[in-house]
Amino acid sequence: MRPLDTAYMWDLVPVIASYVPLTLFMAIVAMAAALTLGSALAIVRVLRVPVLDRIVAVFISFFRGTPLLVQLFLFYFGLPQVVPAMTGIDGVTAAIIGLTLHFSAYMAESIRGAILGVDRSQWEAAQSIGMTQGQLLRRIILPQAARTAAPTLMNYFIDMIKSTSLAFTLGVTEMMGAAQKEAAGSFLYLEAFLVVALFYWVIVETLSVGQRRLESSLGKAVAR
Amino acid sequence: MRTLVLTAALALTTALPAAADTIRVGMSGGYFPFTFTRADTLQGFEVDFLNAIAEETGDEVEFVTMSFSGLIGALESNRIDTIANQITITPEREAAFAFTQPYVYDGAQIVTREGNEAGIAGPESLDGKTVAVNLGSNFEQLLRELPNADAIDIRTYESNIEQDTALGRVDAFVMDRVSSAQVIAQSPLPLELAGEPFSEIRNALPFRNDEAGQALRDRVDTAITTLKENGTLAEISQKWLDADVTQPVSQ
């Protein structure tokens, strides 16, 4: 067994670190968009909006039922063959759109579950004092559902951060792409991939601290 | 009206990049010594070669690195103008793309783990062996065309075939002779060449087979002729490979 080339690993740290902002940018933008889209999809499902409900069901089924990589390739390399103007979409944008669509499908189901988990009496009470459907969702149901859904949604965010590594297949050099290319030049695979793994781990751990804070603030109303 | 102008402008810009002054060159960045990074600097045979071409034609070069399997799709969907990644000319690819003249002549090489315990001496001794190739590379097809192809367990990889062969997960990998020799000389991996190269391959730059692509191909092809005549190409080859692989092997 050869010893770990720690000097090489230290040299790699600034290289990989310079790609952290891009990874976070893609994940954060996609997370915000997926949360918005996922919530909308969930509400359509819960309220059983005619016609839209069926379309959303097919959307969720497709984006949950096919791998993210397949969706990214379809979107980035496939569709431009029939819609040439789509070539104008760059790799970063395509990755963000792909992540958004994919994860919004998962989130929609989590949020739907969380909404359905809010006790029926809450709906009835809100209706009895004359709230409109929009008001009761916004003021009564969604805040309670958010607390239930938060841990799962955080899981998806973590998954999303790691899924940005697929962007290299679309020509976006992010953390993983940078590590691949460095490993090709040095043949020190263990070192290169270890460094990038540690980076992902540290990012996710930092987020977990934020998650605990968020959960305790969402739980204030029901704290005993 | 305004949207019309915008749409027209968009159509124009997406239709014309091949005629612009920037040649967008796709490469994997993961193919030593042709394209790889050290300390975040992209380098290698292909990088020097394309920079030399651009100097001749007066164009700018923009390198775009992506996974090897995405390169052809990126070329077809007009996201890059050519691929500099030792792309071998095959009949199928020639039907789809406009190739320049070959700039590297090479052979397919079997590489095994040091010691060659499986006793592989050439393609005929690959029966019952697991052999790794890169996904989408022509080496996979070369293997499938062998008379004993059915007896070979061909494994396609996205990357890192050298590492998996060194680890003993597969019996061998097949790659071009030149970079195989380089990998063995320069990497710490315990690997060795097994037998002689078994098929001549010619590598060139593919362009889209449309008017703009062909025009750019012609411009680049002229530059390659110049680089061959003035010795620049041979110099680049010597620098990265310690050998001149830019002339045909079989006279």
Side-chain angles (χ1 to χ4, degrees), chain A residues 37-69:
Chain A
L37 181 57
S39 305
L41 297 176
I43 291 170
V44 168
R45 294 283 281 151
V46 169
L47 299 181
R48 298 211 180 86
V49 181
V51 189
L52 260 181
D53 183 37
R54 295 315 306 154
I55 297 172
V56 168
V58 172
F59 175 92
I60 292 176
S61 166
F62 177 79
F63 283 100
R64 282 204 310 177
T66 53
L68 177 57
L69 186 61

Short mmCIF file of all heavy atoms in Angstrom, two decimals, chain A residues 37-69:
data_model
loop_
_atom_site.label_atom_id
_atom_site.label_comp_id
_atom_site.label_asym_id
_atom_site.label_seq_id
_atom_site.Cartn_x
_atom_site.Cartn_y
_atom_site.Cartn_z
N LEU A 37 -42.26 25.62 -7.12
CA LEU A 37 -42.99 24.78 -8.06
C LEU A 37 -43.61 23.58 -7.34
O LEU A 37 -44.79 23.25 -7.56
CB LEU A 37 -42.04 24.30 -9.17
CG LEU A 37 -42.64 23.41 -10.27
CD1 LEU A 37 -43.79 24.13 -10.96
CD2 LEU A 37 -41.56 23.04 -11.30
N GLY A 38 -42.83 22.96 -6.43
CA GLY A 38 -43.34 21.80 -5.70
C GLY A 38 -44.57 22.14 -4.87
O GLY A 38 -45.53 21.36 -4.82
N SER A 39 -44.56 23.32 -4.21
CA SER A 39 -45.71 23.73 -3.40
C SER A 39 -46.94 23.91 -4.30
O SER A 39 -48.05 23.47 -3.96
CB SER A 39 -45.43 25.05 -2.68
OG SER A 39 -44.25 24.92 -1.93
N ALA A 40 -46.73 24.57 -5.45
CA ALA A 40 -47.84 24.79 -6.37
C ALA A 40 -48.42 23.45 -6.83
O ALA A 40 -49.65 23.25 -6.85
CB ALA A 40 -47.37 25.61 -7.57
N LEU A 41 -47.54 22.53 -7.18
CA LEU A 41 -47.99 21.22 -7.64
C LEU A 41 -48.77 20.50 -6.54
O LEU A 41 -49.83 19.90 -6.78
CB LEU A 41 -46.80 20.34 -8.06
CG LEU A 41 -45.96 20.83 -9.24
CD1 LEU A 41 -44.76 19.91 -9.48
CD2 LEU A 41 -46.80 20.90 -10.52
N ALA A 42 -48.27 20.61 -5.29
CA ALA A 42 -48.91 19.94 -4.17
C ALA A 42 -50.32 20.50 -3.95
O ALA A 42 -51.27 19.75 -3.70
CB ALA A 42 -48.07 20.10 -2.91
N ILE A 43 -50.44 21.83 -4.04
CA ILE A 43 -51.75 22.45 -3.81
C ILE A 43 -52.75 22.02 -4.89
O ILE A 43 -53.90 21.70 -4.60
CB ILE A 43 -51.59 24.00 -3.75
CG1 ILE A 43 -50.83 24.37 -2.47
CG2 ILE A 43 -52.95 24.69 -3.80
CD1 ILE A 43 -50.39 25.81 -2.39
N VAL A 44 -52.26 21.96 -6.13
CA VAL A 44 -53.12 21.50 -7.22
C VAL A 44 -53.64 20.09 -6.92
O VAL A 44 -54.80 19.76 -7.12
CB VAL A 44 -52.37 21.51 -8.58
CG1 VAL A 44 -53.14 20.76 -9.65
CG2 VAL A 44 -52.10 22.94 -9.02
N ARG A 45 -52.72 19.26 -6.40
CA ARG A 45 -53.09 17.87 -6.09
C ARG A 45 -54.08 17.81 -4.93
O ARG A 45 -55.06 17.08 -4.99
CB ARG A 45 -51.83 17.05 -5.76
CG ARG A 45 -50.88 16.87 -6.90
CD ARG A 45 -51.32 15.83 -7.90
NE ARG A 45 -51.04 14.48 -7.44
CZ ARG A 45 -51.76 13.41 -7.78
NH1 ARG A 45 -52.83 13.54 -8.53
NH2 ARG A 45 -51.42 12.21 -7.34
N VAL A 46 -53.80 18.60 -3.88
CA VAL A 46 -54.65 18.54 -2.69
C VAL A 46 -56.07 19.04 -3.00
O VAL A 46 -57.06 18.44 -2.58
CB VAL A 46 -54.03 19.37 -1.54
CG1 VAL A 46 -55.03 19.53 -0.40
CG2 VAL A 46 -52.77 18.70 -1.03
N LEU A 47 -56.13 20.14 -3.74
CA LEU A 47 -57.45 20.73 -4.04
C LEU A 47 -58.14 20.02 -5.20
O LEU A 47 -59.26 20.37 -5.56
CB LEU A 47 -57.29 22.23 -4.37
CG LEU A 47 -56.70 23.09 -3.25
CD1 LEU A 47 -56.61 24.55 -3.69
CD2 LEU A 47 -57.53 22.97 -1.97
N ARG A 48 -57.46 19.05 -5.81
CA ARG A 48 -57.99 18.30 -6.95
C ARG A 48 -58.56 19.24 -8.01
O ARG A 48 -59.70 19.09 -8.45
CB ARG A 48 -59.09 17.32 -6.50
CG ARG A 48 -58.56 16.28 -5.53
CD ARG A 48 -59.29 14.98 -5.63
NE ARG A 48 -58.75 14.01 -4.69
CZ ARG A 48 -59.17 13.91 -3.42
NH1 ARG A 48 -60.12 14.70 -2.98
NH2 ARG A 48 -58.64 13.01 -2.62
N VAL A 49 -57.73 20.22 -8.41
CA VAL A 49 -58.14 21.16 -9.45
C VAL A 49 -58.41 20.37 -10.73
O VAL A 49 -57.55 19.62 -11.18
CB VAL A 49 -57.03 22.20 -9.72
CG1 VAL A 49 -57.47 23.21 -10.79
CG2 VAL A 49 -56.65 22.90 -8.43
N PRO A 50 -59.59 20.52 -11.33
CA PRO A 50 -59.92 19.72 -12.51
C PRO A 50 -58.90 19.94 -13.63
O PRO A 50 -58.35 21.03 -13.78
CB PRO A 50 -61.30 20.25 -12.94
CG PRO A 50 -61.82 21.04 -11.80
CD PRO A 50 -60.67 21.46 -10.96
N VAL A 51 -58.66 18.92 -14.44
CA VAL A 51 -57.72 18.90 -15.56
C VAL A 51 -56.27 19.08 -15.10
O VAL A 51 -55.43 18.21 -15.31
CB VAL A 51 -58.07 19.97 -16.64
CG1 VAL A 51 -57.20 19.75 -17.89
CG2 VAL A 51 -59.53 19.90 -17.02
N LEU A 52 -55.96 20.23 -14.46
CA LEU A 52 -54.61 20.48 -13.97
C LEU A 52 -54.11 19.33 -13.11
O LEU A 52 -52.94 18.93 -13.18
CB LEU A 52 -54.60 21.77 -13.13
CG LEU A 52 -54.09 23.04 -13.80
CD1 LEU A 52 -54.12 24.20 -12.83
CD2 LEU A 52 -52.68 22.84 -14.33
N ASP A 53 -55.00 18.81 -12.30
CA ASP A 53 -54.67 17.71 -11.40
C ASP A 53 -54.09 16.52 -12.18
O ASP A 53 -53.08 15.94 -11.78
CB ASP A 53 -55.94 17.29 -10.64
CG ASP A 53 -55.65 16.21 -9.63
OD1 ASP A 53 -54.57 16.26 -9.02
OD2 ASP A 53 -56.51 15.32 -9.45
N ARG A 54 -54.71 16.21 -13.33
CA ARG A 54 -54.24 15.08 -14.14
C ARG A 54 -52.87 15.39 -14.74
O ARG A 54 -51.98 14.54 -14.78
CB ARG A 54 -55.24 14.75 -15.26
CG ARG A 54 -56.62 14.25 -14.82
CD ARG A 54 -56.56 13.19 -13.74
NE ARG A 54 -55.71 12.08 -14.07
CZ ARG A 54 -55.11 11.30 -13.18
NH1 ARG A 54 -55.26 11.54 -11.88
NH2 ARG A 54 -54.35 10.29 -13.57
N ILE A 55 -52.72 16.63 -15.23
CA ILE A 55 -51.45 17.02 -15.85
C ILE A 55 -50.33 16.95 -14.83
O ILE A 55 -49.24 16.42 -15.09
CB ILE A 55 -51.55 18.46 -16.44
CG1 ILE A 55 -52.60 18.48 -17.56
CG2 ILE A 55 -50.20 18.92 -16.96
CD1 ILE A 55 -52.93 19.86 -18.09
N VAL A 56 -50.60 17.46 -13.63
CA VAL A 56 -49.60 17.44 -12.57
C VAL A 56 -49.24 16.00 -12.20
O VAL A 56 -48.06 15.68 -11.97
CB VAL A 56 -50.12 18.23 -11.33
CG1 VAL A 56 -49.22 17.97 -10.13
CG2 VAL A 56 -50.16 19.71 -11.65
N ALA A 57 -50.24 15.13 -12.19
CA ALA A 57 -49.97 13.73 -11.85
C ALA A 57 -49.00 13.11 -12.86
O ALA A 57 -48.06 12.39 -12.48
CB ALA A 57 -51.29 12.94 -11.83
N VAL A 58 -49.19 13.41 -14.14
CA VAL A 58 -48.29 12.88 -15.19
C VAL A 58 -46.90 13.49 -15.03
O VAL A 58 -45.88 12.79 -15.12
CB VAL A 58 -48.86 13.17 -16.60
CG1 VAL A 58 -47.84 12.79 -17.67
CG2 VAL A 58 -50.16 12.41 -16.81
N PHE A 59 -46.85 14.80 -14.76
CA PHE A 59 -45.58 15.50 -14.55
C PHE A 59 -44.78 14.83 -13.43
O PHE A 59 -43.61 14.49 -13.58
CB PHE A 59 -45.86 16.97 -14.21
CG PHE A 59 -44.62 17.77 -13.85
CD1 PHE A 59 -43.93 18.46 -14.82
CD2 PHE A 59 -44.17 17.83 -12.53
CE1 PHE A 59 -42.79 19.20 -14.48
CE2 PHE A 59 -43.03 18.55 -12.20
CZ PHE A 59 -42.35 19.24 -13.18
N ILE A 60 -45.45 14.64 -12.29
CA ILE A 60 -44.78 14.04 -11.13
C ILE A 60 -44.33 12.62 -11.46
O ILE A 60 -43.21 12.21 -11.16
CB ILE A 60 -45.70 14.06 -9.90
CG1 ILE A 60 -45.92 15.51 -9.44
CG2 ILE A 60 -45.13 13.22 -8.76
CD1 ILE A 60 -46.89 15.65 -8.29
N SER A 61 -45.20 11.89 -12.14
CA SER A 61 -44.88 10.50 -12.48
C SER A 61 -43.63 10.44 -13.37
O SER A 61 -42.73 9.63 -13.14
CB SER A 61 -46.08 9.87 -13.18
OG SER A 61 -45.70 8.68 -13.80
N PHE A 62 -43.56 11.33 -14.36
CA PHE A 62 -42.42 11.31 -15.28
C PHE A 62 -41.12 11.70 -14.57
O PHE A 62 -40.11 11.01 -14.69
CB PHE A 62 -42.65 12.25 -16.47
CG PHE A 62 -41.46 12.33 -17.40
CD1 PHE A 62 -41.24 11.32 -18.33
CD2 PHE A 62 -40.57 13.39 -17.34
CE1 PHE A 62 -40.14 11.37 -19.18
CE2 PHE A 62 -39.46 13.44 -18.19
CZ PHE A 62 -39.26 12.44 -19.11
N PHE A 63 -41.16 12.81 -13.82
CA PHE A 63 -39.91 13.29 -13.23
C PHE A 63 -39.45 12.47 -12.04
O PHE A 63 -38.28 12.51 -11.68
CB PHE A 63 -40.02 14.78 -12.88
CG PHE A 63 -39.88 15.64 -14.11
CD1 PHE A 63 -40.99 16.18 -14.74
CD2 PHE A 63 -38.63 15.87 -14.68
CE1 PHE A 63 -40.86 16.94 -15.89
CE2 PHE A 63 -38.49 16.64 -15.83
CZ PHE A 63 -39.61 17.17 -16.44
N ARG A 64 -40.37 11.69 -11.44
CA ARG A 64 -39.92 10.77 -10.40
C ARG A 64 -39.52 9.44 -11.02
O ARG A 64 -38.73 8.70 -10.45
CB ARG A 64 -41.03 10.54 -9.37
CG ARG A 64 -41.16 11.68 -8.38
CD ARG A 64 -41.80 11.20 -7.10
NE ARG A 64 -43.02 10.44 -7.34
CZ ARG A 64 -43.72 9.87 -6.37
NH1 ARG A 64 -43.32 9.95 -5.12
NH2 ARG A 64 -44.82 9.22 -6.65
N GLY A 65 -40.10 9.15 -12.18
CA GLY A 65 -39.93 7.82 -12.76
C GLY A 65 -38.74 7.67 -13.69
O GLY A 65 -38.46 6.58 -14.16
N THR A 66 -38.03 8.77 -13.97
CA THR A 66 -36.86 8.66 -14.85
C THR A 66 -35.65 9.26 -14.15
O THR A 66 -35.78 10.19 -13.35
CB THR A 66 -37.09 9.41 -16.19
OG1 THR A 66 -37.48 10.76 -15.89
CG2 THR A 66 -38.19 8.76 -17.01
N PRO A 67 -34.44 8.74 -14.44
CA PRO A 67 -33.25 9.24 -13.76
C PRO A 67 -32.96 10.70 -14.13
O PRO A 67 -33.23 11.12 -15.26
CB PRO A 67 -32.12 8.35 -14.29
CG PRO A 67 -32.80 7.15 -14.84
CD PRO A 67 -34.14 7.60 -15.32
N LEU A 68 -32.40 11.41 -13.18
CA LEU A 68 -32.04 12.82 -13.41
C LEU A 68 -31.10 12.96 -14.61
O LEU A 68 -31.24 13.86 -15.42
CB LEU A 68 -31.40 13.39 -12.14
CG LEU A 68 -30.89 14.83 -12.20
CD1 LEU A 68 -31.98 15.79 -12.61
CD2 LEU A 68 -30.29 15.24 -10.86
N LEU A 69 -30.15 12.02 -14.72
CA LEU A 69 -29.18 12.11 -15.83
C LEU A 69 -29.89 12.02 -17.18
O LEU A 69 -29.57 12.73 -18.13
CB LEU A 69 -28.12 11.00 -15.70
CG LEU A 69 -26.97 11.07 -16.71
CD1 LEU A 69 -26.19 12.36 -16.59
CD2 LEU A 69 -26.03 9.88 -16.54
#
